[in-house]
Amino acid sequence: MGNIIEELYYGNLRPEENIVPKDSEYRAINKEITAYIEKFQKKLSEEDFKQLEVGVINK
């Protein structure tokens, strides 16, 4: 690995991905969100699900 600044600049290190919130409700909410994602992934066509993901990410 090169120097840390260079790795951060090029997006090879993402410290925010390693942060786990300390809020006690975090895991419950995360499980609920995951359940909704799985539900819609099964219900929608692959194309519709991709559109849903793009719409959610872009907001």
Side-chain angles (χ1 to χ4, degrees), residues 49-59:
F49 184 74
K50 285 180 184 177
Q51 288 179 358
L52 176 66
E53 284 184 304
V54 169
V56 171
I57 292 170
N58 290 330
K59 285 195 175 198

Side-chain angles (χ1 to χ4, degrees), residues 4-51:
I4 293 175
I5 302 295
E6 191 174 293
E7 294 296 318
L8 282 168
Y9 178 79
Y10 289 109
N12 298 326
L13 298 176
R14 299 178 152 256
E16 73 278 2
E17 290 179 352
N18 297 322
I19 297 172
V20 178
K22 295 180 180 174
D23 188 343
S24 60
E25 292 183 65
Y26 172 77
R27 291 194 194 280
I29 292 170
N30 193 33
K31 284 183 182 180
E32 188 176 344
I33 291 169
T34 301
Y36 277 112
I37 291 170
E38 290 171 354
K39 172 185 169 183
F40 284 108
Q41 193 170 19
K42 290 176 186 174
K43 272 188 144 179
L44 299 173
S45 70
E46 188 175 338
E47 184 60 33
D48 287 343
F49 184 74
K50 285 180 184 177
Q51 288 179 358

